[in-house]
Amino acid sequence: MLRKLSLVLPALALASITSAQSSSSPKTRHFTFDYSFTVRVTDPGKPLDVWFPMAHSDRYQQIKAISMKADLPLRKTSESEYGNWMFYAHTAKAEKPEYHFSVKYDVVRLEHLAAASLHSPASAVELKRYLRADRLVPVTGKPAEIAAAQVKPGMSDLQKARTLYDYTFNNMRYDKTGSGWGRGDAVWACDSHHGNCTDFHSLFISMARSQDIPAKFEIGFAIPGNKTASEVSGYHCWAEFYARDRGWFPVDISEAWQQDKKEYFFGANDVNRIQFTVGRDLELNPKQQGRPLNYFIYPYAELDGQEYPNIAIHFSFADADSDMATRASR
């Protein structure tokens, strides 16, 4: 009897979530987002290559306009594995002490509610990629063992994913103290039980893939929901999994933990974000000399073919309909 009950309760919870989401129309938010950085050259006269991600329009965000300022000519490129777009700049001889880059986006973000989304079947090639391991996201070992212990026979993809979501929520805490957090190392997250959004979602993705549920890593920036304009201190990431009868289904477990909105963020992404890229272990275009990037949200540079981290970043946003946004655009 207990085993049957454990299968019924997740189904009831999922029905409740679907009903609640269906009762409201998706929200929207219109804002500008400034992505700026400076490469500081301390060893001039050598070749400099710079890549940085480009936000693009999709079903849940509209990039309405882009303005760019750069000390080097920019070329738009894309990588083949995930289809991420990026800007690329090169000079054969970096002679200036600083190279400045800035892109301003005009964004309309749409709330992503799984209950309101049409089922869009994914290709077999896409699903196969999102079942494979990444360097720090294995599909075997400790995360797989934990996942196998959580799920029950007869569960649907949606029920399995909800069980793994609950496990991550209940066994991780959002805590950026100490070392090791932020790399998205699923095995480390199993042992540490804390970290940031990267660690939460790496653990979830690892467990989901081990249960034959395709899952993907998405990254961008969170926009404060209680401000009309401010600086943005750093990136934010979330995940989607693929249920065979529902299609792609969003989750944001670290936001659920921080905002105490566990039910909402299983099957929803709010409007307070902008997405830039998807995936892990990324090879850029043109291909970088260094190893694949763990994830791609900050600018990446190479000086004379070697990774060059001397980059100062600055990100900010302003609601497009606020007085602050008007002043910020002048």
Side-chain angles (χ1 to χ4, degrees):
M1 180 64 183
L2 289 177
R3 186 171 180 178
K4 290 183 179 179
L5 184 62
S6 70
L7 294 179
V8 172
L9 288 178
L12 293 174
L14 291 170
S16 175
I17 293 167
T18 301
S19 176
Q21 289 184 358
S22 298
S23 65
S24 60
S25 299
K27 300 179 179 66
T28 61
R29 188 174 185 181
H30 185 193
F31 56 90
T32 58
F33 187 85
D34 285 307
Y35 186 114
S36 300
F37 65 96
T38 300
V39 181
R40 294 170 176 161
V41 179
T42 56
D43 190 9
K46 297 179 178 179
L48 174 66
D49 297 274
V50 180
W51 299 258
F52 59 103
M54 172 183 164
H56 61 280
S57 296
D58 59 27
R59 291 174 63 186
Y60 303 105
Q61 64 183 21
Q62 300 171 18
I63 308 298
K64 299 181 68 176
I66 297 177
S67 61
M68 296 179 288
K69 297 179 182 178
D71 287 343
L72 291 172
L74 294 178
R75 178 159 61 97
K76 296 178 185 178
T77 68
S78 65
E79 51 82 32
S80 59
E81 185 169 19
Y82 299 101
N84 293 308
W85 285 89
M86 66 197 75
F87 292 103
Y88 171 70
H90 170 78
T91 178
K93 185 180 292 186
E95 296 178 333
K96 297 176 62 174
E98 294 185 343
Y99 288 87
H100 303 278
F101 301 85
S102 178
V103 179
K104 185 171 185 177
Y105 296 96
D106 184 11
V107 184
V108 175
R109 182 74 195 188
L110 177 69
E111 184 180 23
H112 183 177
L113 300 177
S117 300
L118 296 175
H119 181 187
S120 179
S123 70
V125 172
E126 181 183 15
L127 296 180
K128 184 177 180 180
R129 174 59 191 92
Y130 292 121
L131 285 171
R132 292 208 320 259
D134 296 308
R135 184 171 62 88
L136 296 178
V137 184
V139 295
T140 59
K142 194 165 186 178
E145 293 168 4
I146 293 173
Q150 301 304 309
V151 302
K152 301 293 187 291
M155 280 184 168
S156 67
D157 290 343
L158 207 58
Q159 290 171 323
K160 286 181 180 180
R162 179 57 198 246
T163 299
L164 302 177
Y165 174 95
D166 288 345
Y167 176 88
T168 306
F169 182 93
N170 294 331
N171 287 274
M172 292 285 289
R173 70 181 188 278
Y174 193 90
D175 180 359
K176 299 192 291 186
T177 59
S179 60
W181 63 268
R183 296 176 64 238
D185 184 332
V187 176
W188 181 90
C190 287
D191 296 331
S192 68
H193 299 286
H194 78 277
N196 73 346
C197 55
T198 327
D199 308 303
F200 274 68
H201 295 108
S202 295
L203 176 57
F204 173 81
I205 291 170
S206 185
M207 292 192 296
R209 290 176 179 175
S210 76
Q211 287 293 311
D212 200 33
I213 299 173
K216 58 183 172 181
F217 176 89
E218 301 176 334
I219 192 165
F221 295 90
I223 306 301
N226 59 352
K227 297 180 180 180
T228 57
S230 74
E231 294 185 357
V232 175
S233 60
Y235 71 83
H236 179 55
C237 64
W238 51 96
E240 290 189 62
F241 68 88
Y242 190 84
R244 289 165 179 82
D245 59 340
R246 293 290 300 273
W248 288 109
F249 205 91
V251 295
D252 193 336
I253 315 172
S254 57
E255 281 299 292
W257 198 97
Q258 293 183 90
Q259 296 187 35
D260 193 23
K261 292 183 178 180
K262 182 181 179 183
E263 299 308 318
Y264 172 78
F265 281 109
F266 183 79
N269 280 333
D270 61 21
V271 296
N272 303 316
R273 65 189 66 212
I274 176 175
Q275 182 177 330
F276 276 75
T277 60
V278 177
R280 305 284 295 272
D281 301 340
L282 292 153
E283 291 188 351
L284 307 178
N285 182 14
K287 188 178 182 300
Q288 71 271 35
Q289 295 296 312
R291 69 181 183 179
L293 302 190
N294 188 17
Y295 43 79
F296 186 36
I297 188 61
Y298 294 146
Y300 175 80
E302 292 182 346
L303 188 67
D304 199 22
Q306 300 295 317
E307 181 177 354
Y308 190 72
N310 196 354
I311 303 174
I313 56 177
H314 182 266
F315 313 116
S316 64
F317 94 100
D319 281 332
D321 300 325
S322 71
D323 290 338
M324 288 185 181
T326 301
R327 291 196 295 271
S329 64
R330 291 173 180 170

